[in-house]
């Protein structure tokens, strides 16, 4: 069977690529994972189909070459499957090329400093911004510290923040307009934190710190806040087979997602922009309310399901929701402890929004692996759960089930440490930027909350003093952790106790 490319894409080829037409690259995207290809690339493809424009994307991987090896032989084309009762396939053509920063650094810089490039979007996950627990750039982070010592602006940076600052300075030197930088990751105030990180890096790097004009120009850098939402499971062979059967070509890396897709952007973009507004992107003066609603009503229960479900040996979100006791517990968490903390959003019924999210979790066509959601817990829970706990403590509300969610993460890490000791290299990895520290702490744990909880709370890179000093939180965490310990010893935890306690 032929490999998908421009020549054999057939009638599904986007109109803006037909007849030899090739719009210029106007966007560089950092982090070309499945979510980006099902989301931002999808919206940009629709925008060019609607109104044209030179908005094709140069996708840049900061580490892996896998996406480049899959998509470059396909001229950047790939299939997108929207998984509902009837699966809809479309061909996305917005990606022009995929570069790998460690291998193609000069090409990446050339794209970022070309006159046609106007936007940088990014899905590099929370850890990719190298921020500390306060949300500021961590100048002691290994990658940032190394990049701050680079002798010039063309030497290869390890971090996305270093790469972007270099590109902005090179554009400044060439008299080109500043790029618009758009974070599309689940960080609260992501645009503000991105801008602050770039400015901090520039001020601390000897290469840039003496250029006063450049530092002043960065004060006007446009970095809109944004919120993104669409459940995007990992690609599997079943999807590849479906694409081959339906389209008659081999696609090395198609992507799938649910039909629901949302992108909310702070309305501060320059006039020259893709026709995103015309294809469903929501522009608003205040993204914060949308962001909090999504982080708390979708991401928080998602993470809770991931850790509790993994402890109960459940594989997917759909499977977890099919367990009545677990489903009831997570809905009680949302209704009783999370919804009261979410600010009102104009035009959005929060209770209905939450109910719709649970229906999305129950979509049998979207088998989202809990293991995938469980990645990078030390970063995700700082955005998804800990702020809710702080709000509830300040308001005198319960944190019992929120503590259960945190306790399940800690027990999940302890399980990974046990598996590593028993299975060696065959054990599933703990995917987290703080994995060595977390596993070392877990190795000291016994399963008894009296021993373990103080060890976990001593990790000040995760648990700040304001939480550690809250008796209500520590007590709830101790109780939850102790209740969950029997799962790791093979017994069944009585999760109904938590539900009855909240609803009493």
């Amino acid at each position: 069977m032929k490999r998908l490319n421009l020549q054999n894409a057939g009638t599904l080829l986007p109109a803006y690529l037909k007849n030899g037409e090739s719009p210029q690259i106007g966007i560089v995207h950092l982090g070309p994972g499945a979510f980006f290809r099902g989301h931002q690339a999808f919206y940009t493809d629709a925008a060019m189909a609607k109104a044209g424009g030179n908005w094709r994307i140069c996708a840049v991987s900061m580490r892996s070459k896998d996406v480049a090896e899959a998509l470059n032989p396909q001229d950047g084309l790939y299939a997108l499957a929207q998984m509902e009762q009837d699966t809809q396939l479309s061909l996305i053509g917005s990606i022009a090329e995929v570069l790998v920063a460690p291998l193609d650094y000069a090409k990446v810089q050339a794209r970022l400093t070309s006159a046609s490039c106007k936007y940088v979007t990014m899905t590099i996950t929370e850890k990719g911004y190298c921020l500390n627990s306060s949300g500021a750039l961590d100048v002691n982070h290994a990658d940032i510290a190394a990049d701050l010592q680079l002798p010039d602006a063309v030497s290869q940076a390890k971090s996305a923040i270093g790469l972007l600052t270099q590109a902005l300075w090179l554009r400044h030197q060439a008299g080109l307009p500043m790029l618009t930088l758009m974070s599309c990751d689940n960080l609260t105030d992501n645009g503000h934190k991105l801008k602050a990180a770039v400015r901090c890096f520039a001020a601390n790097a000897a290469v840039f710190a003496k250029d006063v004009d450049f530092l002043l120009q960065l004060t006007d850098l446009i970095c809109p806040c944004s919120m993104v939402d669409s459940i995007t499971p990992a690609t599997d062979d079943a999807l590849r087979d479906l694409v081959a059967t339906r389209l008659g070509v081999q696609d090395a890396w198609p992507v799938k997602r649910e039909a629901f897709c949302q992108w909310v952007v702070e309305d501060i973009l320059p006039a020259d922009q893709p026709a995103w507004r015309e294809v469903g992107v929501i522009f608003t003066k205040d993204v914060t309310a949308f962001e909090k609603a999504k982080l708390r009503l979708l991401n928080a229960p998602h993470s809770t399901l991931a850790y509790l479900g993994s402890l109960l040996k459940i594989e997917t979100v759909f499977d977890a929701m099919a367990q009545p006791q677990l489903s009831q517990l997570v809905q009680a968490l949302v209704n009783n402890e999370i919804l009261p903390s979410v600010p009102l959003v104009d035009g959005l019924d929060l209770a209905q929004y939450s109910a719709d999210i649970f229906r999305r979790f129950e979509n049998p066509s979207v088998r989202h692996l809990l293991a995938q959601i469980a990645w990078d817990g030390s970063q995700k829970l700082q955005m998804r759960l800990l702020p809710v706990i702080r709000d509830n403590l300040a308001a005198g509300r319960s944190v019992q089930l929120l503590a259960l969610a945190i306790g399940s993460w800690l027990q999940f890490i302890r399980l990974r440490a046990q598996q590593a000791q028993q299975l060696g290299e065959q054990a599933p990895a703990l995917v987290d930027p703080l994995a060595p520290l977390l596993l070392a702490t877990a190795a000291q744990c016994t399963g008894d909350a009296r021993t373990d909880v103080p060890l976990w709370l001593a990790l000040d890179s995760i648990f700040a003093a304001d939480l550690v000093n809250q008796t209500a939180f520590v007590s709830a965490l101790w109780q939850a952790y102790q209740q969950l310990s029997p799962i790791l010893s093979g017994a069944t935890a009585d999760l109904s106790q938590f539900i009855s306690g909240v609803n009493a």
Side-chain angles (χ1 to χ4, degrees):
M1 185 176 291
K2 293 181 179 180
R3 181 81 172 267
L4 173 64
N5 57 34
L6 287 170
Q7 282 66 47
N8 56 36
T11 58
L12 287 177
L13 186 69
Y16 59 83
L17 294 179
K18 292 179 179 178
N19 303 318
E21 295 182 19
S22 182
Q24 289 183 308
I25 290 173
I27 301 171
V28 171
H29 180 86
L30 307 184
F35 182 83
F36 154 70
R37 285 178 280 141
H39 192 277
Q40 294 88 12
F42 159 78
Y43 277 113
T44 303
D45 174 87
M48 285 192 289
K50 181 82 171 179
N54 291 311
W55 299 113
R56 291 199 80 195
I57 300 168
C58 168
V60 177
S61 171
M62 297 300 294
R63 299 285 186 271
S64 171
K65 60 183 179 179
D66 293 349
V67 178
E69 291 178 343
L71 295 192
N72 284 336
Q74 300 180 181
D75 300 314
L77 298 174
Y78 61 94
L80 169 64
Q82 297 184 46
M83 311 291 287
E84 296 293 334
Q85 289 184 343
D86 297 319
T87 299
Q88 296 183 10
L89 287 179
S90 58
L91 209 59
I92 305 299
S94 53
I95 297 177
E97 63 185 358
V98 183
L99 302 178
V100 183
L103 304 177
D104 307 307
Y105 203 76
K107 290 182 180 178
V108 173
Q109 284 195 326
R111 287 300 186 198
L112 287 167
T113 56
S114 68
S116 66
C117 182
K118 297 171 182 177
Y119 289 81
V120 177
T121 57
M122 58 198 78
T123 47
I124 54 177
T125 75
E126 295 90 337
K127 63 184 175 183
Y129 296 83
C130 304
L131 306 180
N132 59 28
S133 58
S134 299
L137 184 69
D138 183 359
V139 295
N140 296 314
H141 186 284
D143 289 350
I144 297 297
D147 289 350
L148 287 172
Q149 299 302 315
L150 292 175
D152 52 53
V154 294
S155 297
Q156 185 165 315
K158 294 182 178 181
S159 69
I161 300 300
L163 169 64
L164 291 173
T165 309
Q166 286 181 336
L168 292 169
W169 187 80
L170 291 170
R171 292 180 73 91
H172 170 72
Q173 292 293 300
L176 292 171
M178 288 288 99
L179 297 164
T180 296
L181 308 183
M182 301 180 64
S183 169
C184 301
D185 285 293
N186 288 320
L187 287 168
T188 55
D189 295 323
N190 51 16
H192 300 153
K193 288 177 179 174
L194 172 59
K195 181 175 180 176
V198 169
R199 294 184 65 193
C200 179
F201 185 92
N204 283 276
V207 177
F208 313 118
K210 295 179 181 179
D211 191 336
V212 177
D213 289 341
F214 175 59
L215 297 181
L216 286 173
Q217 193 172 23
L218 290 181
T219 63
D220 296 324
L221 190 64
I222 298 175
C223 297
C225 291
S226 73
M227 187 276 282
V228 295
D229 186 7
S230 192
I231 297 172
T232 310
T235 298
D236 53 23
D237 288 339
L239 177 61
R240 292 184 177 92
D241 293 343
L242 174 67
V243 171
T245 300
R246 295 265 293 266
L247 303 186
V249 291
Q250 284 187 325
D251 183 349
W253 209 330
V255 295
K256 59 182 175 180
R257 65 163 169 80
E258 60 177 341
F260 179 89
C261 196
Q262 187 179 56
W263 192 5
V264 181
V265 178
E266 186 180 6
D267 196 5
I268 59 172
L269 298 190
D272 191 7
Q273 59 185 261
W276 287 324
R277 297 172 190 267
E278 299 176 38
V279 294
V281 178
I282 299 169
F283 283 80
T284 179
K285 291 297 182 184
D286 182 14
V287 176
T288 303
F290 287 92
E291 178 185 79
K292 276 192 174 181
K294 189 253 182 172
L295 280 169
R296 298 188 178 199
L297 296 177
L298 187 148
N299 295 126
H302 234 188
S303 288
T304 304
L305 283 171
Y307 298 120
L308 273 173
S310 294
L311 292 177
L312 294 167
K313 298 180 174 59
I314 299 172
E315 185 178 12
T316 72
V317 173
F318 174 77
D319 296 332
M321 293 300 293
Q323 302 294 321
Q325 193 178 59
L326 183 55
S327 174
Q328 289 170 26
L329 185 148
V330 176
Q331 291 194 51
L333 164 67
V334 170
N335 292 337
N336 297 337
E337 297 188 9
I338 295 181
L339 259 175
S341 77
V342 183
L344 296 177
V345 183
D346 287 343
L348 185 63
D349 182 328
L350 292 175
Q352 186 61 52
Y353 176 68
S354 177
D356 290 342
I357 286 171
F358 277 103
R359 277 193 285 274
R360 291 163 60 192
F361 288 173
E362 295 168 349
N363 183 347
S365 300
V366 179
R367 296 189 61 80
H368 200 177
L369 293 175
L370 297 179
Q372 181 185 5
I373 301 166
W375 292 350
D376 301 332
S378 68
Q379 311 297 297
K380 290 177 177 177
L381 299 191
Q382 303 255 14
M383 307 294 170
R384 302 178 178 192
L385 287 167
L386 296 186
V388 188
I389 291 172
R390 288 185 170 95
D391 285 354
N392 282 16
L393 290 171
R397 294 189 294 263
S398 171
V399 295
Q400 186 178 13
L401 288 177
L402 290 162
L404 174 64
I406 300 297
S408 68
W409 173 57
L410 300 177
Q411 291 282 19
F412 171 82
I413 298 167
R414 191 165 75 89
L415 175 63
R416 283 289 192 267
Q418 285 184 356
Q419 292 171 333
Q421 187 176 22
Q422 296 167 0
L423 302 175
E425 293 183 358
Q426 296 180 340
L430 177 65
V431 182
D432 195 290
L434 298 183
L437 174 63
L438 295 172
L439 291 173
T441 303
Q444 302 175 59
C445 292
T446 65
D448 188 327
R450 291 171 296 182
T451 302
D452 296 2
V453 170
L455 290 171
W456 292 119
L457 292 178
L459 301 179
D460 56 9
S461 57
I462 300 168
F463 298 106
D466 66 325
L467 286 179
V468 175
N469 294 330
Q470 286 279 354
T471 303
F473 169 65
V474 174
S475 176
L477 181 60
W478 189 96
Q479 178 185 357
Y481 192 92
Q482 197 70 18
Q483 180 71 23
L484 290 166
S485 287
I487 295 177
L488 272 70
S489 63
T492 301
D494 182 14
L495 299 180
S496 62
Q497 176 181 339
F498 292 96
I499 299 173
S500 60
V502 168
N503 293 330

